[in-house]
């Protein structure tokens, strides 16, 4: 399933720091169901890998589905679900 990584920007509330950015995500057990919990496997630009606990959400205005994840180290990712056009 194709996902587009969304940039999370918390600079308005925190000082910017040099954190690694996610470059690839793979979502395990994804369902188009609000508040469904799943695992997100993330690869970062520095070569690091992490498994995050994710939750599926749906935008009430646009109807777009996304999955947001975080782990105990504070690493987080948000990925927008994009349906295949084929």
């Amino acid at each position: 399933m194709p996902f587009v990584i969304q940039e999370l920007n918390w600079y308005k509330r925190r000082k910017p720091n040099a954190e690694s950015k996610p470059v690839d995500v793979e979502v395990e057990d994804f369902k188009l169901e609000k508040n469904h919990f799943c695992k997100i496997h993330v690869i970062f630009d520095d070569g690091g890998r992490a498994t995050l606990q994710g939750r599926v959400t749906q935008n009430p205005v646009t109807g777009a589905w996304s999955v947001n994840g975080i782990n105990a180290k504070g690493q987080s990712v948000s990925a927008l679900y994009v349906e295949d056009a084929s």
Side-chain angles (χ1 to χ4, degrees):
M1 286 181 232
F3 289 91
V4 175
I5 298 172
Q6 298 176 308
E7 185 175 343
L8 298 175
N9 185 348
W10 299 102
Y11 296 151
K12 292 180 182 178
R13 297 182 191 97
R14 298 182 183 110
K15 289 183 179 179
N17 55 9
E19 289 185 4
S20 55
K21 294 185 180 187
V23 293
D24 189 32
V25 295
E26 181 180 325
V27 182
E28 190 177 313
D29 301 328
F30 179 78
K31 292 182 184 177
L32 292 176
E33 178 183 310
K34 291 181 185 178
N35 295 319
H36 174 73
F37 288 98
C38 54
K39 292 193 183 288
I40 306 171
H41 303 285
V42 183
I43 299 175
F44 293 96
D45 60 356
D46 63 358
R49 295 175 181 262
T51 300
L52 313 177
Q53 180 66 37
R55 183 172 66 100
V56 178
T57 58
Q58 184 180 27
N59 185 311
V61 177
T62 64
W65 292 93
S66 62
V67 62
N68 303 298
I70 193 165
N71 66 5
K73 294 180 181 178
Q75 295 171 312
S76 61
V77 69
S78 178
L80 181 66
Y81 174 70
V82 180
E83 294 185 42
D84 289 335
S86 53

Coordinates of all heavy atoms in Angstrom, one line a residue:
M1 N 0.8 -1.2 0.0 CA 0.0 0.0 0.0 C 0.9 1.2 0.0 O 1.8 1.3 0.8 CB -0.9 0.0 1.3 CG -2.0 -1.0 1.2 SD -3.0 -0.8 2.7 CE -2.9 -2.5 3.2
P2 N 0.6 2.1 -0.9 CA 1.4 3.3 -0.9 C 1.1 4.4 0.1 O -0.1 4.7 0.4 CB 1.1 3.9 -2.3 CG -0.3 3.4 -2.6 CD -0.4 2.1 -1.9
F3 N 2.1 4.9 0.8 CA 2.0 5.9 1.8 C 2.9 7.0 1.4 O 4.1 6.8 0.9 CB 2.4 5.4 3.2 CG 1.3 4.4 3.7 CD1 1.4 3.1 3.5 CD2 0.3 4.9 4.5 CE1 0.5 2.2 4.0 CE2 -0.7 4.1 5.0 CZ -0.6 2.7 4.7
V4 N 2.5 8.3 1.7 CA 3.3 9.5 1.5 C 3.7 10.0 2.8 O 2.8 10.3 3.6 CB 2.6 10.5 0.6 CG1 3.4 11.8 0.5 CG2 2.2 10.0 -0.7
I5 N 5.0 10.1 3.1 CA 5.4 10.6 4.4 C 5.1 12.1 4.5 O 5.5 12.9 3.6 CB 6.9 10.3 4.6 CG1 7.1 8.8 4.6 CG2 7.4 10.9 6.0 CD1 8.6 8.4 4.7
Q6 N 4.5 12.5 5.6 CA 4.2 13.9 5.8 C 5.3 14.5 6.8 O 5.6 13.8 7.8 CB 2.8 14.1 6.4 CG 1.7 13.7 5.5 CD 0.4 13.8 6.1 OE1 0.2 13.3 7.2 NE2 -0.5 14.4 5.4
E7 N 5.8 15.7 6.6 CA 6.8 16.3 7.5 C 6.1 16.8 8.7 O 5.1 17.5 8.7 CB 7.5 17.4 6.8 CG 8.6 18.0 7.6 CD 9.4 19.0 6.9 OE1 9.3 19.1 5.7 OE2 10.1 19.8 7.6
L8 N 6.6 16.4 9.9 CA 6.1 16.9 11.1 C 7.0 18.0 11.6 O 8.2 17.9 11.7 CB 6.2 15.8 12.2 CG 5.3 14.5 11.9 CD1 5.5 13.5 13.0 CD2 3.8 14.9 11.9
N9 N 6.4 19.2 11.8 CA 7.2 20.4 12.1 C 6.7 20.9 13.5 O 5.6 21.5 13.6 CB 7.0 21.4 11.0 CG 7.9 22.7 11.2 OD1 8.4 22.8 12.3 ND2 7.9 23.5 10.2
W10 N 7.5 20.8 14.5 CA 7.2 21.2 15.8 C 8.0 22.4 16.2 O 8.1 22.8 17.4 CB 7.5 20.1 16.8 CG 6.6 18.9 16.6 CD1 7.0 17.7 16.0 CD2 5.3 18.7 16.9 NE1 6.0 16.9 15.9 CE2 4.9 17.4 16.5 CE3 4.3 19.5 17.5 CZ2 3.6 16.9 16.6 CZ3 3.0 19.0 17.6 CH2 2.7 17.7 17.2
Y11 N 8.6 23.1 15.2 CA 9.5 24.2 15.5 C 8.9 25.4 16.2 O 9.5 26.2 16.8 CB 10.3 24.7 14.3 CG 11.2 23.6 13.7 CD1 11.4 23.6 12.3 CD2 11.8 22.7 14.5 CE1 12.3 22.6 11.8 CE2 12.6 21.7 14.0 CZ 12.8 21.7 12.6 OH 13.7 20.8 12.1
K12 N 7.6 25.5 16.1 CA 6.9 26.6 16.7 C 6.9 26.5 18.2 O 6.8 27.4 19.0 CB 5.4 26.7 16.2 CG 5.3 27.1 14.8 CD 3.9 27.2 14.3 CE 3.8 27.6 12.9 NZ 2.4 27.6 12.4
R13 N 7.0 25.3 18.7 CA 6.9 25.0 20.1 C 8.3 24.6 20.7 O 8.4 24.6 21.9 CB 5.9 23.9 20.4 CG 4.5 24.3 20.0 CD 3.5 23.2 20.3 NE 2.3 23.5 19.7 CZ 1.9 23.0 18.6 NH1 2.6 22.1 17.9 NH2 0.7 23.3 18.1
R14 N 9.2 24.2 19.9 CA 10.5 23.7 20.3 C 11.6 24.2 19.5 O 11.4 24.6 18.4 CB 10.5 22.1 20.3 CG 9.5 21.5 21.1 CD 9.6 20.0 21.0 NE 8.6 19.3 21.8 CZ 7.6 18.6 21.3 NH1 7.5 18.5 20.0 NH2 6.7 18.1 22.0
K15 N 12.8 24.2 20.1 CA 14.0 24.6 19.3 C 14.3 23.6 18.2 O 14.2 22.4 18.5 CB 15.2 24.8 20.2 CG 15.1 25.9 21.1 CD 16.4 26.1 21.9 CE 16.3 27.2 22.8 NZ 17.5 27.4 23.7
P16 N 14.6 24.0 17.0 CA 14.9 23.0 16.0 C 16.2 22.3 16.3 O 17.2 22.9 16.8 CB 15.1 23.9 14.7 CG 15.2 25.3 15.2 CD 14.6 25.4 16.5
N17 N 16.3 21.0 16.0 CA 17.5 20.2 16.2 C 17.7 19.3 15.0 O 16.8 19.1 14.2 CB 17.5 19.5 17.6 CG 16.3 18.6 17.7 OD1 15.5 18.4 16.8 ND2 16.1 18.1 18.9
A18 N 18.9 18.7 15.0 CA 19.2 17.9 13.8 C 18.7 16.5 14.1 O 19.5 15.6 14.5 CB 20.7 17.9 13.6
E19 N 17.5 16.2 13.8 CA 16.9 14.9 14.0 C 16.9 14.2 12.6 O 16.8 14.8 11.6 CB 15.5 14.9 14.5 CG 15.4 15.3 15.9 CD 13.9 15.2 16.4 OE1 13.1 14.8 15.6 OE2 13.7 15.6 17.5
S20 N 17.1 12.9 12.6 CA 17.0 12.1 11.3 C 15.5 12.1 10.9 O 14.6 12.2 11.6 CB 17.5 10.7 11.5 OG 16.8 10.1 12.6
K21 N 15.4 12.2 9.5 CA 14.1 12.2 8.9 C 13.7 10.9 8.3 O 14.5 10.2 7.7 CB 14.0 13.3 7.9 CG 14.2 14.7 8.4 CD 14.1 15.7 7.3 CE 14.3 17.1 8.0 NZ 14.0 18.2 7.0
P22 N 12.4 10.5 8.4 CA 12.0 9.2 7.8 C 12.0 9.3 6.3 O 11.6 10.4 5.7 CB 10.6 9.0 8.3 CG 10.1 10.4 8.7 CD 11.3 11.2 9.1
V23 N 12.5 8.3 5.6 CA 12.5 8.3 4.1 C 11.7 7.1 3.6 O 11.3 7.2 2.4 CB 14.0 8.1 3.6 CG1 14.8 9.4 3.9 CG2 14.7 6.9 4.1
D24 N 11.3 6.1 4.4 CA 10.5 5.0 3.9 C 9.7 4.5 5.1 O 10.2 4.4 6.2 CB 11.4 3.9 3.3 CG 10.6 2.9 2.6 OD1 9.5 3.2 2.0 OD2 11.0 1.7 2.6
V25 N 8.4 4.1 4.8 CA 7.6 3.5 5.8 C 6.9 2.3 5.2 O 6.6 2.2 4.0 CB 6.5 4.4 6.3 CG1 7.1 5.6 7.1 CG2 5.6 4.9 5.3
E26 N 6.7 1.3 6.1 CA 5.9 0.1 5.8 C 5.0 -0.1 6.9 O 5.4 -0.2 8.1 CB 6.9 -1.1 5.6 CG 6.1 -2.4 5.2 CD 7.0 -3.5 5.0 OE1 8.2 -3.3 4.6 OE2 6.6 -4.6 5.4
V27 N 3.7 -0.2 6.6 CA 2.7 -0.3 7.7 C 2.2 -1.8 7.7 O 1.7 -2.3 6.7 CB 1.5 0.7 7.5 CG1 0.5 0.6 8.6 CG2 2.0 2.1 7.4
E28 N 2.3 -2.4 8.9 CA 1.8 -3.7 9.1 C 0.4 -3.7 9.6 O 0.1 -3.0 10.5 CB 2.8 -4.4 10.1 CG 2.7 -5.8 10.3 CD 3.7 -6.3 11.3 OE1 4.9 -6.0 11.1 OE2 3.3 -7.1 12.2
D29 N -0.5 -4.6 9.1 CA -1.9 -4.7 9.5 C -2.7 -3.4 9.3 O -3.5 -3.1 10.2 CB -1.9 -5.1 11.0 CG -1.2 -6.4 11.2 OD1 -1.2 -7.3 10.3 OD2 -0.7 -6.6 12.3
F30 N -2.5 -2.7 8.2 CA -3.2 -1.5 8.0 C -4.6 -1.8 7.6 O -4.9 -2.7 6.7 CB -2.5 -0.6 6.9 CG -3.3 0.7 6.6 CD1 -3.2 1.8 7.4 CD2 -4.1 0.7 5.4 CE1 -3.8 2.9 7.1 CE2 -4.7 1.9 5.1 CZ -4.6 3.0 6.0
K31 N -5.6 -1.1 8.2 CA -7.0 -1.2 7.8 C -7.6 0.2 7.7 O -7.3 1.1 8.4 CB -7.8 -2.0 8.8 CG -7.5 -3.4 8.9 CD -8.4 -4.1 10.0 CE -8.0 -5.5 10.2 NZ -8.8 -6.2 11.3
L32 N -8.6 0.4 6.8 CA -9.3 1.6 6.6 C -10.4 1.7 7.7 O -11.6 1.5 7.4 CB -9.8 1.8 5.2 CG -8.8 2.0 4.1 CD1 -9.5 2.1 2.8 CD2 -8.0 3.3 4.4
E33 N -9.9 1.8 8.9 CA -10.8 1.8 10.1 C -10.3 2.8 11.1 O -9.1 2.8 11.5 CB -10.8 0.4 10.7 CG -11.7 0.2 11.9 CD -11.5 -1.2 12.4 OE1 -11.7 -2.2 11.6 OE2 -11.3 -1.4 13.6
K34 N -11.2 3.7 11.5 CA -10.7 4.8 12.5 C -10.2 4.2 13.8 O -10.8 3.2 14.3 CB -11.9 5.7 12.8 CG -12.3 6.6 11.7 CD -13.4 7.5 12.1 CE -13.9 8.3 10.9 NZ -15.0 9.2 11.3
N35 N -9.1 4.7 14.3 CA -8.5 4.3 15.5 C -8.0 2.9 15.5 O -7.8 2.3 16.6 CB -9.4 4.5 16.7 CG -9.7 6.0 16.9 OD1 -8.9 6.8 16.8 ND2 -11.0 6.3 17.2
H36 N -7.7 2.3 14.4 CA -7.1 0.9 14.3 C -5.7 1.1 14.6 O -5.0 1.9 14.1 CB -7.3 0.4 12.9 CG -6.6 -0.9 12.7 ND1 -7.1 -2.1 13.3 CD2 -5.5 -1.2 12.0 CE1 -6.2 -3.1 12.9 NE2 -5.3 -2.6 12.2
F37 N -5.2 0.2 15.5 CA -3.8 0.2 15.9 C -3.0 -0.7 15.0 O -3.4 -1.8 14.7 CB -3.6 -0.2 17.4 CG -4.0 0.9 18.3 CD1 -5.3 0.9 18.9 CD2 -3.2 2.0 18.6 CE1 -5.7 1.9 19.7 CE2 -3.7 3.0 19.4 CZ -4.9 2.9 20.0
C38 N -1.8 -0.3 14.6 CA -0.9 -1.1 13.7 C 0.6 -0.8 14.0 O 0.8 0.1 14.8 CB -1.2 -0.8 12.3 SG -1.2 0.9 11.8
K39 N 1.4 -1.5 13.4 CA 2.9 -1.3 13.6 C 3.4 -0.6 12.3 O 3.0 -1.0 11.2 CB 3.6 -2.6 13.8 CG 3.3 -3.2 15.2 CD 4.3 -4.3 15.5 CE 4.0 -5.0 16.8 NZ 4.3 -4.2 17.9
I40 N 4.3 0.4 12.5 CA 4.9 1.1 11.4 C 6.4 0.8 11.4 O 7.1 1.1 12.4 CB 4.6 2.6 11.5 CG1 3.1 2.9 11.6 CG2 5.2 3.3 10.3 CD1 2.8 4.3 11.9
H41 N 7.0 0.3 10.4 CA 8.4 0.1 10.3 C 9.0 1.3 9.4 O 8.5 1.5 8.3 CB 8.7 -1.2 9.6 CG 8.1 -2.4 10.3 ND1 8.6 -2.9 11.5 CD2 7.0 -3.2 10.0 CE1 7.9 -3.9 11.9 NE2 6.9 -4.1 11.0
V42 N 9.9 2.0 10.0 CA 10.4 3.2 9.4 C 11.9 3.1 9.2 O 12.7 2.5 10.0 CB 10.2 4.4 10.4 CG1 10.6 5.7 9.7 CG2 8.7 4.5 10.8
I43 N 12.4 3.6 8.0 CA 13.8 3.7 7.7 C 14.1 5.2 7.7 O 13.4 6.0 7.0 CB 14.1 3.1 6.4 CG1 13.8 1.6 6.5 CG2 15.6 3.3 6.1 CD1 14.0 0.8 5.2
F44 N 15.1 5.7 8.4 CA 15.5 7.1 8.4 C 16.6 7.4 7.5 O 17.4 6.5 7.0 CB 15.9 7.4 9.9 CG 14.7 7.4 10.8 CD1 14.5 6.2 11.6 CD2 13.8 8.4 11.0 CE1 13.4 6.2 12.5 CE2 12.8 8.4 11.8 CZ 12.6 7.2 12.6
D45 N 16.9 8.7 7.2 CA 17.9 9.1 6.3 C 19.3 8.8 6.7 O 20.2 8.7 5.9 CB 17.7 10.6 5.9 CG 17.9 11.5 7.1 OD1 18.0 11.0 8.3 OD2 17.8 12.7 6.9
D46 N 19.5 8.6 8.0 CA 20.8 8.2 8.5 C 21.1 6.7 8.5 O 22.1 6.2 9.1 CB 21.1 8.8 9.9 CG 20.1 8.3 11.0 OD1 19.2 7.4 10.6 OD2 20.2 8.7 12.1
G47 N 20.1 5.9 8.0 CA 20.2 4.5 7.9 C 19.6 3.8 9.1 O 19.5 2.5 9.2
G48 N 19.1 4.5 10.1 CA 18.5 3.9 11.3 C 17.1 3.4 11.0 O 16.5 3.8 10.0
R49 N 16.7 2.4 11.7 CA 15.4 1.7 11.6 C 14.7 1.7 12.9 O 15.3 1.7 14.0 CB 15.6 0.3 11.1 CG 16.2 0.2 9.7 CD 16.4 -1.3 9.4 NE 17.0 -1.4 8.0 CZ 16.3 -1.6 6.9 NH1 15.0 -1.8 7.0 NH2 17.0 -1.7 5.8
A50 N 13.4 1.8 12.9 CA 12.6 1.8 14.1 C 11.2 1.2 13.8 O 10.7 1.3 12.7 CB 12.4 3.2 14.6
T51 N 10.6 0.6 14.8 CA 9.3 0.2 14.8 C 8.4 1.0 15.7 O 8.7 1.1 16.9 CB 9.2 -1.3 15.2 OG1 10.0 -2.1 14.3 CG2 7.7 -1.8 15.1
L52 N 7.4 1.6 15.2 CA 6.6 2.5 15.9 C 5.2 2.0 16.1 O 4.7 1.2 15.2 CB 6.4 3.9 15.2 CG 7.7 4.5 14.7 CD1 7.4 5.8 13.9 CD2 8.7 4.8 15.8
Q53 N 4.5 2.3 17.2 CA 3.1 2.0 17.4 C 2.3 3.0 16.7 O 2.4 4.2 17.0 CB 2.8 2.0 18.9 CG 1.4 1.6 19.2 CD 1.0 0.2 18.8 OE1 1.8 -0.7 19.0 NE2 -0.2 0.0 18.3
G54 N 1.4 2.6 15.8 CA 0.7 3.6 15.0 C -0.8 3.5 15.2 O -1.4 2.5 15.7
R55 N -1.5 4.5 14.8 CA -3.0 4.6 14.9 C -3.5 5.2 13.6 O -3.0 6.2 13.1 CB -3.4 5.4 16.1 CG -4.9 5.5 16.3 CD -5.3 6.2 17.6 NE -4.9 7.6 17.6 CZ -5.8 8.6 17.3 NH1 -7.1 8.3 17.1 NH2 -5.4 9.8 17.4
V56 N -4.5 4.6 13.0 CA -5.1 5.1 11.8 C -6.2 6.1 12.1 O -7.0 6.0 13.0 CB -5.8 3.9 11.0 CG1 -6.5 4.4 9.7 CG2 -4.8 2.8 10.7
T57 N -6.1 7.2 11.3 CA -7.1 8.3 11.5 C -7.6 8.7 10.2 O -7.0 8.4 9.1 CB -6.4 9.6 12.2 OG1 -5.3 10.0 11.4 CG2 -5.9 9.3 13.6
Q58 N -8.8 9.4 10.2 CA -9.4 9.9 9.0 C -9.8 11.4 9.2 O -10.4 11.7 10.2 CB -10.7 9.1 8.6 CG -11.3 9.5 7.3 CD -12.5 8.8 6.9 OE1 -13.2 8.3 7.8 NE2 -12.8 8.6 5.6
N59 N -9.4 12.2 8.2 CA -9.7 13.6 8.3 C -11.2 13.8 8.1 O -11.7 13.3 7.1 CB -8.9 14.4 7.2 CG -9.1 15.8 7.3 OD1 -10.2 16.3 7.3 ND2 -8.0 16.6 7.2
P60 N -11.9 14.4 9.0 CA -13.4 14.5 8.9 C -13.8 15.4 7.8 O -14.9 15.3 7.3 CB -13.8 15.1 10.3 CG -12.6 15.7 10.8 CD -11.4 15.0 10.3
V61 N -13.0 16.3 7.3 CA -13.3 17.3 6.2 C -13.0 16.7 4.9 O -13.9 16.6 4.0 CB -12.6 18.6 6.4 CG1 -12.9 19.6 5.3 CG2 -12.9 19.2 7.7
T62 N -11.8 16.2 4.7 CA -11.4 15.7 3.3 C -11.7 14.2 3.2 O -11.7 13.7 2.0 CB -9.9 15.9 3.1 OG1 -9.2 15.2 4.0 CG2 -9.6 17.4 3.2
G63 N -11.8 13.5 4.3 CA -12.0 12.0 4.2 C -10.7 11.3 4.0 O -10.7 10.0 3.8
A64 N -9.5 12.0 4.0 CA -8.2 11.3 3.7 C -7.8 10.5 4.9 O -8.0 10.9 6.1 CB -7.2 12.4 3.5
W65 N -7.2 9.3 4.6 CA -6.8 8.4 5.7 C -5.3 8.6 5.9 O -4.5 8.8 5.0 CB -7.0 6.9 5.3 CG -8.5 6.6 5.2 CD1 -9.3 6.6 4.1 CD2 -9.3 6.1 6.3 NE1 -10.5 6.2 4.4 CE2 -10.6 5.9 5.8 CE3 -9.0 5.9 7.6 CZ2 -11.6 5.4 6.5 CZ3 -10.1 5.4 8.4 CH2 -11.3 5.2 7.9
S66 N -4.9 8.5 7.2 CA -3.4 8.6 7.5 C -3.1 7.7 8.7 O -4.1 7.3 9.4 CB -3.0 10.0 7.7 OG -3.7 10.5 8.9
V67 N -1.9 7.4 8.9 CA -1.4 6.7 10.0 C -0.3 7.5 10.7 O 0.5 8.0 10.1 CB -1.0 5.3 9.6 CG1 0.2 5.3 8.7 CG2 -0.7 4.4 10.8
N68 N -0.5 7.6 12.1 CA 0.5 8.4 12.9 C 1.1 7.4 13.9 O 0.4 6.6 14.5 CB -0.2 9.5 13.6 CG -0.9 10.4 12.6 OD1 -0.3 11.0 11.8 ND2 -2.2 10.5 12.7
G69 N 2.4 7.5 14.0 CA 3.1 6.6 14.9 C 4.2 7.3 15.8 O 4.7 8.3 15.4
I70 N 4.4 6.7 16.9 CA 5.5 7.2 17.8 C 6.0 6.0 18.6 O 5.3 5.0 18.8 CB 4.9 8.2 18.8 CG1 6.0 9.0 19.5 CG2 3.9 7.7 19.7 CD1 5.6 10.3 20.2
N71 N 7.2 6.1 19.1 CA 7.8 5.0 20.0 C 8.3 5.7 21.3 O 8.2 6.9 21.5 CB 8.9 4.2 19.3 CG 10.1 5.0 19.0 OD1 10.3 6.2 19.3 ND2 11.0 4.4 18.2
A72 N 8.8 4.8 22.1 CA 9.3 5.3 23.5 C 10.4 6.3 23.4 O 10.7 7.0 24.3 CB 9.6 4.1 24.3
K73 N 11.2 6.3 22.3 CA 12.3 7.2 22.1 C 11.9 8.6 21.6 O 12.7 9.4 21.5 CB 13.3 6.6 21.2 CG 14.0 5.3 21.7 CD 15.0 4.8 20.6 CE 15.6 3.6 21.1 NZ 16.6 3.0 20.1
G74 N 10.6 8.7 21.3 CA 10.1 10.0 20.8 C 10.2 10.1 19.3 O 9.8 11.2 18.8
Q75 N 10.6 9.1 18.6 CA 10.6 9.1 17.2 C 9.2 9.1 16.7 O 8.4 8.3 17.2 CB 11.4 8.0 16.6 CG 12.9 8.0 17.0 CD 13.6 6.7 16.6 OE1 13.1 5.7 16.9 NE2 14.7 6.9 15.9
S76 N 8.8 9.9 15.7 CA 7.4 9.9 15.3 C 7.4 10.0 13.7 O 8.3 10.5 13.1 CB 6.6 11.0 15.9 OG 7.2 12.2 15.6
V77 N 6.3 9.6 13.2 CA 6.1 9.7 11.7 C 4.6 9.8 11.5 O 3.8 9.3 12.2 CB 6.7 8.4 11.0 CG1 5.9 7.2 11.3 CG2 6.8 8.7 9.5
S78 N 4.3 10.5 10.4 CA 2.9 10.6 9.9 C 2.9 10.3 8.4 O 3.7 10.9 7.7 CB 2.3 12.0 10.1 OG 1.0 12.1 9.6
A79 N 2.0 9.4 8.0 CA 2.0 9.0 6.6 C 0.6 9.0 6.1 O -0.3 8.5 6.7 CB 2.6 7.6 6.4
L80 N 0.4 9.6 4.9 CA -0.9 9.7 4.3 C -1.1 8.6 3.4 O -0.2 8.2 2.6 CB -0.9 11.0 3.5 CG -2.2 11.4 2.7 CD1 -3.4 11.6 3.7 CD2 -2.0 12.6 1.9
Y81 N -2.2 7.9 3.5 CA -2.6 6.8 2.6 C -3.0 7.3 1.3 O -3.9 8.1 1.2 CB -3.6 5.9 3.3 CG -4.2 4.8 2.4 CD1 -3.4 3.7 2.1 CD2 -5.4 4.8 1.8 CE1 -3.8 2.7 1.3 CE2 -5.9 3.8 1.0 CZ -5.1 2.7 0.8 OH -5.6 1.7 -0.1
V82 N -2.4 6.8 0.2 CA -2.8 7.2 -1.2 C -3.3 5.9 -1.9 O -2.5 5.0 -2.1 CB -1.6 7.8 -1.9 CG1 -2.0 8.2 -3.3 CG2 -1.1 9.0 -1.1
E83 N -4.5 5.9 -2.3 CA -5.1 4.8 -3.0 C -4.5 4.7 -4.4 O -4.2 5.7 -5.1 CB -6.6 4.9 -3.1 CG -7.3 4.8 -1.8 CD -8.8 4.8 -1.9 OE1 -9.3 4.1 -2.8 OE2 -9.4 5.5 -1.1
D84 N -4.3 3.5 -4.9 CA -3.8 3.2 -6.3 C -4.8 3.8 -7.3 O -6.0 3.5 -7.2 CB -3.6 1.8 -6.5 CG -2.4 1.2 -5.7 OD1 -1.5 2.0 -5.4 OD2 -2.4 0.0 -5.5
A85 N -4.3 4.5 -8.3 CA -5.2 5.0 -9.3 C -5.4 4.0 -10.4 O -6.1 4.2 -11.3 CB -4.5 6.3 -9.9
S86 N -4.7 2.9 -10.4 CA -4.8 1.9 -11.5 C -6.0 1.0 -11.3 O -6.7 0.9 -10.4 CB -3.5 1.0 -11.5 OG -3.2 0.5 -10.3

